[in-house]
Amino acid sequence: MASERTFVAIKPDGVQRGLVGEILARFERKGFKLIALKQLTPSRELAEKHYGVHRDRPFFSGLVDFITSGPVVVMVWEGDGVIASARRLIGATKPLEAEPGTIRGDLAVNIGRNVIHGSDGPDTALFEIDLWFESAELNVWIPSDQRWRVE
């Protein structure tokens, strides 16, 4: 499987509940490479662009209000099959449907406070990475254990 990148955001409820380290650790233990990370409180404009596909849905305003209500931690992860794998790590959107062992299954409270967002496909990942990060913020590096790998 080819190496790819995905966007992941820990939402305000995850940040305020002190879950950032727990979530980062799950991605690191899986073996993915962190290439960008920052904390910010999103502007309304940024949030509306991020959730633009839901603009005509009745919950759009509430989504934007929530994601702008406090700091989020946004990241870019890289690795073989990282988009699909991240989706499995994250779990179903509705926490009650998320499997135990997934981030949402273990940590999320309800659909409106489901702790984390992850890109759902390659096009979305590219859009979200470009929306939240400048290219200079993406760190290209090689983990030392990859130098030991025998091909």
Side-chain angles (χ1 to χ4, degrees):
M1 193 170 276
S3 184
E4 60 189 10
R5 291 178 177 173
T6 195
F7 173 82
V8 173
I10 302 173
K11 297 177 181 180
D13 56 326
V15 173
Q16 292 177 23
R17 290 177 52 210
L19 301 175
V20 174
E22 164 82 18
I23 292 168
L24 282 167
R26 290 182 185 216
F27 281 87
E28 288 181 323
R29 282 195 306 266
K30 186 71 177 170
F32 296 124
K33 182 170 67 170
L34 182 62
I35 63 168
L37 171 77
K38 64 183 172 183
Q39 181 179 29
L40 70 149
T41 301
S43 68
R44 190 156 195 88
E45 178 185 358
L46 177 60
E48 288 175 353
K49 286 179 183 175
H50 179 82
Y51 287 121
V53 298
H54 301 299
R55 185 171 301 282
D56 296 327
R57 300 256 176 102
F59 56 81
F60 175 75
S61 182
L63 274 177
V64 171
D65 289 345
F66 174 61
I67 203 74
T68 60
S69 69
V72 298
V73 172
V74 293
M75 337 170 223
V76 178
W77 291 92
E78 185 176 84
D80 293 345
V82 72
I83 296 170
S85 190
R87 299 290 293 175
R88 283 192 296 278
L89 281 172
I90 290 168
T93 301
K94 296 177 181 177
L96 290 176
E97 296 173 5
E99 294 292 326
T102 65
I103 293 167
R104 288 182 178 146
D106 294 347
L107 306 174
V109 177
N110 62 50
I111 192 167
R113 302 293 178 263
N114 65 7
V115 179
I116 189 169
H117 165 84
S119 300
D120 61 6
D123 293 338
T124 306
L126 183 61
F127 169 77
E128 292 173 343
I129 291 167
D130 288 346
L131 180 64
W132 291 83
F133 290 94
E134 299 292 326
S135 61
E137 294 176 299
L138 304 177
N139 297 285
V140 178
W141 59 283
I142 300 171
S144 59
D145 68 342
Q146 286 187 4
R147 294 185 191 125
W148 306 324
R149 188 179 293 172
V150 176
E151 303 269 335

